[in-house]
């Protein structure tokens, strides 16, 4: 411990002489692996739960893609498996809307938010900044268990008689506010709300920890300008989350009161056949949209900022080059965070917005293209003339840049209100956000898992399987989402259960069949990853070196299987930024090597 | 379990957590009051005066902030008896504040203004929800004060650390300032 350190009573007293659970704490199985307060275990808990949700969410998409790809075909096995949901061999309408709703909800919140940022923020922050653990390990543990409870509640909505919520992942009123709107608007919606409220609490507990740990717990020498970009990514996403999730929370509170306590925030005097006029007066659903999208748009960046950081880190390491434009990378992420709060209304261009106000939101939305382009330019220049190692992590890293460019460019179309009004709520939107946010963030997640798996489990994943997984996934992703742009431009609307009933959309039957087949193949290709992941945990090649990727970052200075407290002795001091690759005749120079002592490095690494 | 934390900053990490948590709570109330402003411009908005008892509750919470401040000072001066008394008074004032707020809504009800249910208006519902959430935050502070109060009666003190009481005080002053903001907001709008 540094002599400069100021230790706070009750926080660090027991650990001034170095911390390692092997020496200090006797832990039971439950305190070590279940109710663990070790950030690394919590990170793995988020990862495993996120993977389970990704499989379930992906499976839901396979089921509703069956309906979209084969609207006239009967699959008797569907009835065997799904019962009333698959009556007559078809996914029922209610089931279709529930599946699309819960697919969107869990993929965005439970997989791309909790699964991605929960995993890597927890696992990486203390290791990369040189801290024993998070600022509050107890709150950190709670953040996982709130997420777990949210997961159980969301899952339980599949087992209530009226089914899960079916009004779309945005839960717009009146479908969400009115129990009579659809079967899923009854108990299913209450469970959806309860689950999401617990999820928000989880995100807030986690986010508070990430921010205060990064700002307050860095080791000696670890200035903010020496932070690895992966830590910058999760740190900035935490700021976004902590400031935007409470607004969603306030929107949910008003929704609960409209649903159960007779208030009129969103509901108005709607007439329902067989029931009569509602007793509500003067409510307006647009109010909900404002509150929802104030989180909803930053949520896009909450999902992708960790991926930005992970990709930057992995790219520099595997290109054996310093990241190009470190400061520009950080500043562009800052710019994205600020702009993320100022663009929510571009989701509401068709809600009757004043055209002048719409123009302001167009301008602010298009401004995001500037920092995004800076990042893309820097990634490409980092790759340029690099000594690239095509590990699975690096492949997903390059794949990320590819899909981020492809999906990002269509954002320019959607950010323009004049064009957006034409393609709003069409498959163009689906294609855009799946590529730029869904696939890109998933690629960031895969990239991170392949790269930090050795640090997590002390073993290597199989790189051949990883490469096959990458190629099927990227080809599959493009084959699924590229054609959707054309469907959208031709006006094919999203959310329709049976588009083939409309003469104008019948032309897309063959194309949709193709998309569905690609989606099914791509989904099942993910089992290669699952097999590789779980098999490697137990049977993967054991690490012989603690730094298999020859990386500069601090996490690779811990033992192969670090205990709670991360470093057995003193926390190492940092002397340089983490991107000194191919410099002064050295392939890499770890952050712990003092400037001028590069030649003595071999003794320290 | 002992916390596995070392830090180099002069600001205690838990205090840091509290400040970021406060920022998060501010955003929730910002969302609600923004929604109030947006909804106000729609049709069917009812104007009414705030209950007079809110002036009294404002005075109560201001006094409670003063007693909280004095309790921290007495803790730091090792004046244990005075500290316990002041903590007790602060918690009692917090509970009194909550009771006065509830009384205010009874007053509104007697004037025929419905907060919830059939015949309610969004303007009154907003007031109910926003002040209700504020009261919940105050009661959270009261619970923290009670825990601190019982700790103050412990005979064995392992370490004389002002951090927990300072954190409770910060939170208490925050809910006080938050109420002043809400009171001014509702009065002006």
């Amino acid at each position: 411990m540094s002599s400069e350190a100021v230790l706070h009573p009750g926080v660090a007293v027991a650990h001034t002489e170095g911390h390692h659970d092997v020496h200090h704490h006797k832990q039971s199985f439950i305190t070590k692996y279940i109710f663990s307060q070790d950030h690394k275990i919590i990170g793995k808990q988020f990862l495993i739960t996120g993977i389970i949700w990704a499989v379930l969410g992906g499976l839901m998409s396979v089921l509703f893609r069956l309906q979209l790809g084969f609207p006239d075909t009967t699959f008797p096995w569907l009835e065997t498996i799904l019962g009333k949901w698959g009556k007559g061999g078809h996914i029922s309408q209610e089931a279709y809307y529930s599946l699309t709703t819960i697919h969107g909800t869990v993929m965005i919140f439970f997989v791309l938010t909790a699964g991605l940022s929960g995993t890597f923020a927890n696992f990486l922050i203390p290791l990369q900044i040189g801290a024993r653990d998070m600022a509050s390990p107890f709150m950190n543990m709670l953040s996982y268990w709130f997420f777990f409870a949210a997961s159980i509640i969301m899952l339980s909505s599949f087992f209530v008689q009226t089914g899960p919520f079916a009004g779309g992942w945005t839960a717009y009123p009146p479908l969400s506010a009115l129990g009579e709107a659809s079967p899923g608007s009854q108990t299913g919606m209450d469970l959806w709300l309860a689950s999401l409220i617990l999820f928000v609490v989880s995100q807030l507990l986690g986010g508070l920890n990430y921010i205060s740990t990064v700002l307050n717990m860095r080791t000696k020498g670890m200035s903010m300008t020496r932070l690895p970009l992966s830590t910058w990514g999760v740190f900035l996403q935490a700021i976004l989350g902590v400031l935007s999730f409470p607004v969603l929370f306030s929107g949910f509170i008003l929704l609960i009161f409209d649903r159960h306590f007779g208030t009129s925030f969103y509901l108005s005097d709607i007439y329902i056949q067989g029931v009569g006029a509602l007793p509500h007066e003067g409510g307006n659903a647009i109010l909900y949209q404002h509150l929802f999208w104030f989180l909803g748009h930053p949520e896009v960046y909450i999902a992708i900022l960790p991926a930005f950081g992970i990709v930057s880190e992995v790219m520099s390491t595997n290109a054996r080059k310093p990241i190009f434009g470190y400061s520009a990378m950080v500043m562009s992420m800052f710019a994205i965070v600020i702009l993320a709060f100022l663009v929510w209304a571009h989701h509401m261009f068709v809600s009757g917005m004043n055209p002048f106000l719409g123009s302001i939101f167009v301008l602010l939305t298009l401004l995001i293209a500037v920092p995004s382009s800076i990042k893309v330019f820097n990634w490409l220049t980092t790759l340029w003339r690099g000594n690239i190692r095509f590990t699975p992590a690096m492949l997903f890293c390059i794949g990320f840049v590819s899909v981020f460019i492809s999906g990002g460019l269509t954002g320019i179309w959607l950010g323009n209100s004049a064009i957006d009004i034409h393609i709003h709520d069409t498959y163009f939107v689906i294609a855009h956000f799946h590529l730029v946010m869904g696939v890109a963030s998933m690629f960031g997640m895969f990239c991170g898992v392949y790269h930090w798996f050795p640090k997590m489990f002390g073993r290597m994943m199989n790189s051949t399987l990883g490469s096959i997984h990458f190629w099927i996934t990227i080809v599959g992703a493009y084959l699924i989402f590229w054609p959707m742009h054309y469907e959208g431009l031709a006006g094919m609307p999203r959310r329709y259960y049976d588009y083939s009933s409309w003469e104008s959309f019948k032309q897309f039957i063959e194309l949709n069949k193709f998309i569905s087949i690609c989606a099914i193949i791509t989904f099942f290709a993910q089992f290669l990853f699952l097999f590789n992941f779980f098999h490697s945990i137990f049977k993967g090649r054991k690490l012989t070196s603690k730094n298999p990727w020859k990386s500069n970052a601090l996490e690779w200075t811990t033992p192969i299987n670090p205990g709670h407290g991360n470093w057995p002795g003193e926390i190492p001091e940092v002397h340089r930024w983490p991107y000194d690759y191919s410099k002064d005749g050295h392939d890499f120079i770890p952050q712990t090597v003092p400037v001028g002592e590069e030649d003595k490095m071999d003794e320290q690494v | 379990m002992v916390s596995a934390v070392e830090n180099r900053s002069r600001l205690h990490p838990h205090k840091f957590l509290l400040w970021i948590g406060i920022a998060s709570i501010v955003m929730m109330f910002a969302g609600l009051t923004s929604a109030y402003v947006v909804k106000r411009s729609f049709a069917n908005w009812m104007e009414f005066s705030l209950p007079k008892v809110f002036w009294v509750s404002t005075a109560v919470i201001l006094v409670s902030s003063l007693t909280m401040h004095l309790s921290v000072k007495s803790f730091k001066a090792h004046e244990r008896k005075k500290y316990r008394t002041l903590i007790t008074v602060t918690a009692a004032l917090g509970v009194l504040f909550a009771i006065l707020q509830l009384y205010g809504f009874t007053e509104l009800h007697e004037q025929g203004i419905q907060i919830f249910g059939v015949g309610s208006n969004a303007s009154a519902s907003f007031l109910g929800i926003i002040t209700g959430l504020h009261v919940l935050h105050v009661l959270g502070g009261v619970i923290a004060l009670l825990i601190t109060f019982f700790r103050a009666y412990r005979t064995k003190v392992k370490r004389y650390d002002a951090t927990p009481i300072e954190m409770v005080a910060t939170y208490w002053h925050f809910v006080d300032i938050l109420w002043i903001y809400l009171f001014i907001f509702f009065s002006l709008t």
Side-chain angles (χ1 to χ4, degrees):
Chain A
M1 182 74 197
S2 153
S3 58
E4 288 178 18
V6 176
L7 298 173
H8 293 287
V11 175
V13 171
H15 299 83
T16 50
E17 296 305 318
H19 179 121
H20 209 253
D21 66 347
V22 176
H23 306 297
H24 286 270
H25 302 305
K26 288 244 184 271
Q27 289 182 304
S28 65
F29 180 84
I30 288 177
T31 56
K32 189 169 181 182
Y33 295 109
I34 312 286
F35 295 107
S36 175
Q37 295 188 29
D38 181 351
H39 69 99
K40 298 184 293 298
I41 301 288
I42 295 169
K44 288 178 205 173
Q45 288 174 324
F46 270 106
L47 178 60
I48 304 284
T49 316
I51 287 174
I52 292 168
W53 271 117
V55 172
L56 292 173
L59 192 61
M60 289 175 212
S61 69
V62 165
L63 289 171
F64 65 70
R65 274 309 319 179
L66 275 181
Q67 166 61 28
L68 290 166
F70 309 93
D72 301 323
T73 311
T74 305
F75 301 100
W77 55 268
L78 275 177
E79 189 168 353
T80 316
I81 297 171
L82 301 175
K84 66 173 183 179
W85 273 26
K87 211 160 194 177
H90 282 282
I91 301 275
S92 70
Q93 292 183 27
E94 284 159 15
Y96 173 83
Y97 287 116
S98 289
L99 288 170
T100 52
T101 299
I102 306 298
H103 165 78
T105 306
V106 302
M107 292 308 266
I108 288 170
F109 292 117
F110 292 2
V111 180
L112 298 180
T113 304
L116 177 57
S117 68
T119 301
F120 292 103
N122 272 299
F123 192 79
L124 291 181
I125 288 176
L127 288 174
Q128 290 198 329
I129 68 168
R132 297 290 185 199
D133 205 319
M134 290 286 179
S136 172
F138 178 73
M139 270 173 61
N140 206 25
M141 177 189 76
L142 280 185
S143 83
Y144 172 73
W145 287 104
F146 269 99
F147 168 50
F148 185 81
S151 297
I152 296 297
I153 291 173
M154 185 64 76
L155 205 58
S156 69
S157 71
F158 280 91
F159 301 99
V160 295
Q161 197 180 7
T162 46
F165 179 51
W169 79 275
T170 51
Y172 280 175
L175 290 179
S176 59
L178 196 57
E180 295 89 339
S182 79
S185 300
Q186 298 171 39
T187 315
M189 181 58 201
D190 285 327
L191 293 172
W192 190 93
L193 271 172
S195 169
L196 265 276
I197 283 174
L198 289 174
F199 178 79
V200 170
V201 174
S202 155
Q203 286 303 300
L204 293 178
L205 290 170
L208 299 178
N209 250 320
Y210 308 153
I211 297 168
S212 67
T213 306
V214 170
L215 291 179
N216 214 23
M217 312 281 294
R218 300 186 309 276
T219 187
K220 192 180 177 193
M222 180 59 86
S223 60
M224 291 299 277
T225 51
R226 286 177 178 169
L227 281 183
L229 286 167
S230 34
T231 292
W232 267 114
V234 287
F235 168 67
L236 290 171
Q237 76 84 24
I239 292 176
L240 258 181
V242 159
L243 297 180
S244 60
F245 270 115
V247 179
L248 180 74
F249 189 82
S250 58
F252 284 166
I253 289 169
L254 302 184
L255 187 56
I256 290 169
F257 274 82
D258 265 14
R259 283 177 65 78
H260 296 294
F261 300 103
T263 56
S264 303
F265 297 113
Y266 309 133
L267 279 177
S268 194
D269 43 352
I270 303 167
Y271 188 83
I272 303 170
Q273 201 173 17
V275 178
L278 290 178
H280 304 273
E281 281 180 21
N284 198 311
I286 299 295
L287 178 62
Y288 176 85
Q289 294 189 18
H290 280 296
L291 292 170
F292 179 86
W293 286 114
F294 190 83
L295 165 277
H297 194 80
E299 173 60 32
V300 172
Y301 300 103
I302 288 171
I304 207 160
L305 275 164
F308 282 166
I310 288 167
V311 161
S312 306
E313 178 75 17
V314 172
M315 185 175 285
S316 178
T317 307
N318 286 298
R320 311 311 289 166
K321 274 183 70 185
I323 191 81
F324 186 88
Y326 175 91
S327 305
M329 285 292 214
V330 174
M331 293 316 292
S332 59
M333 282 198 279
F334 260 115
I336 287 170
V337 167
I338 293 163
L339 288 168
F341 285 115
L342 304 174
V343 298
W344 79 91
H346 72 224
H347 293 270
M348 299 162 62
F349 282 148
V350 294
S351 68
M353 186 186 291
N354 180 315
F356 177 71
L357 192 61
S359 305
I360 292 171
F361 279 102
V362 168
L363 176 71
L364 290 167
T365 302
L366 296 186
L367 271 178
I368 289 192
V370 177
S372 303
S373 306
I374 290 171
K375 297 197 78 64
V376 169
F377 176 79
N378 287 356
W379 285 321
L380 295 178
T381 39
T382 302
L383 287 172
W384 178 252
R385 293 189 171 178
N387 185 15
I388 299 172
R389 299 186 306 208
F390 289 102
T391 62
M394 187 61 165
L395 289 173
F396 275 104
C397 193
I398 297 167
F400 169 93
V401 179
S402 164
V403 290
F404 185 70
I405 294 171
S406 316
L409 286 172
T410 51
I412 298 170
W413 296 41
L414 287 162
N416 277 293
S417 57
I419 307 172
D420 179 73
I421 287 165
H422 172 64
I423 48 182
H424 186 86
D425 266 349
T426 68
Y427 269 79
F428 191 92
V429 180
I430 310 265
H432 159 73
F433 78 74
H434 270 89
L435 273 182
V436 78
M437 177 191 167
V439 179
S441 299
M442 280 305 289
F443 274 29
M445 193 164 169
F446 284 131
C447 170
V449 172
Y450 280 112
H451 186 75
W452 280 289
F453 187 90
K455 190 77 255 162
M456 288 181 180
F457 300 103
R459 292 174 186 266
M460 301 293 284
M461 285 179 82
N462 183 299
S463 65
T464 310
L465 272 181
S467 299
I468 297 168
H469 169 226
F470 166 75
W471 284 111
I472 299 177
T473 307
I474 191 162
V475 171
Y478 274 122
L479 292 180
I480 295 164
F481 297 114
W482 260 117
M484 287 188 192
H485 289 95
Y486 299 107
E487 291 182 345
L489 286 174
M492 186 169 153
R494 69 193 288 195
R495 297 202 170 98
Y496 278 28
Y497 169 70
D498 188 3
Y499 61 91
S500 62
S501 308
W502 277 265
E503 201 58 43
S504 53
F505 304 133
K506 270 188 178 166
Q507 57 178 313
F508 296 120
I509 288 180
E510 288 306 312
L511 191 55
N512 273 327
K513 194 180 287 180
F514 172 77
I515 292 172
S516 291
I517 290 167
C518 292
I520 292 164
I521 293 170
T522 311
F523 172 74
F524 284 103
Q526 303 314 304
F527 284 89
L528 282 174
F529 168 78
L530 286 181
F531 170 77
N532 197 356
F533 181 83
F534 288 108
H535 183 264
S536 302
I537 289 175
F538 304 104
K539 301 282 181 186
R541 181 165 55 81
K542 276 189 178 175
L543 281 189
T544 48
S545 147
K546 61 184 181 184
N547 191 357
W549 310 124
K550 307 293 176 212
S551 168
N552 292 332
L554 214 50
E555 71 268 24
W556 302 102
T557 62
T558 61
I560 289 174
N561 290 305
H564 193 187
N566 299 334
W567 286 269
E570 288 186 1
I571 298 176
E573 193 177 328
V574 165
H575 299 278
R576 56 179 74 231
W577 77 325
Y579 301 110
D580 275 341
Y581 292 105
S582 305
K583 187 184 167 192
D584 301 333
H586 298 280
D587 178 41
F588 71 113
I589 311 170
Q591 285 188 281
T592 49
V593 176
V595 176
E597 293 185 20
E598 293 81 0
D599 292 334
K600 298 177 190 168
M601 192 177 73
D602 291 342
E603 299 162 21
Q604 299 187 38
V605 174
Chain B
M1 182 182 287
V2 185
S3 171
V5 172
E6 287 172 10
N7 89 308
R8 303 182 55 250
S9 163
R10 291 200 173 272
L11 187 62
H12 192 288
H14 293 172
K15 282 186 183 170
F16 213 97
L17 276 170
L18 177 67
W19 279 110
I20 305 163
I22 285 173
S24 200
I25 297 170
V26 165
M27 285 306 289
M28 186 180 76
F29 281 94
L32 286 167
T33 47
S34 305
Y36 181 92
V37 172
V38 171
K39 186 73 185 72
R40 200 167 174 267
S41 62
F42 293 147
N44 193 41
W45 184 259
M46 186 174 69
E47 300 283 352
F48 61 91
S49 306
L50 289 180
K52 290 199 172 52
V53 73
F54 278 12
W55 285 95
V56 183
S57 64
T58 307
V60 166
I61 204 165
L62 277 170
V63 173
S64 77
S65 236
L66 181 70
T67 55
M68 186 76 242
H69 175 71
L70 293 174
S71 72
V72 176
K73 274 185 83 172
S74 54
F75 181 88
K76 286 182 176 170
H78 290 251
E79 295 168 335
R80 307 265 297 165
K81 197 176 171 188
K82 194 176 168 190
Y83 161 69
R84 283 172 195 151
T85 311
L86 285 164
I87 280 284
T88 313
V89 171
T90 310
L93 288 172
V95 174
L96 179 63
F97 173 81
I99 293 168
L100 288 171
Q101 298 296 82
L102 287 177
Y103 184 75
F105 285 105
T106 320
E107 207 174 283
L108 282 177
H109 185 69
E110 281 165 4
Q111 287 172 29
I113 296 166
Q114 279 286 106
I115 311 290
F116 306 122
V118 178
S120 65
N121 186 280
S123 58
S125 304
F126 263 118
L127 183 73
I129 287 177
I130 295 173
T131 52
L133 278 170
H134 178 260
V135 164
L136 283 179
H137 282 81
V138 170
L139 292 177
V142 169
I143 292 168
L145 277 173
L146 289 175
I147 294 167
T148 321
F149 172 78
F150 286 116
R151 277 187 181 164
Y153 276 93
R154 276 185 191 161
T155 46
K156 287 182 183 173
V157 179
K158 284 181 188 170
R159 194 172 50 241
Y160 204 78
D161 180 12
T163 306
I165 185 68
E166 281 175 349
M167 285 177 65
V168 174
T170 304
Y171 179 77
W172 196 262
H173 296 318
F174 161 67
V175 290
D176 182 356
I177 293 165
L178 181 62
W179 171 248
I180 303 293
Y181 158 70
L182 292 175
F183 190 54
I184 294 170
F185 175 82
F186 284 122
S187 300
L188 293 180
T189 54

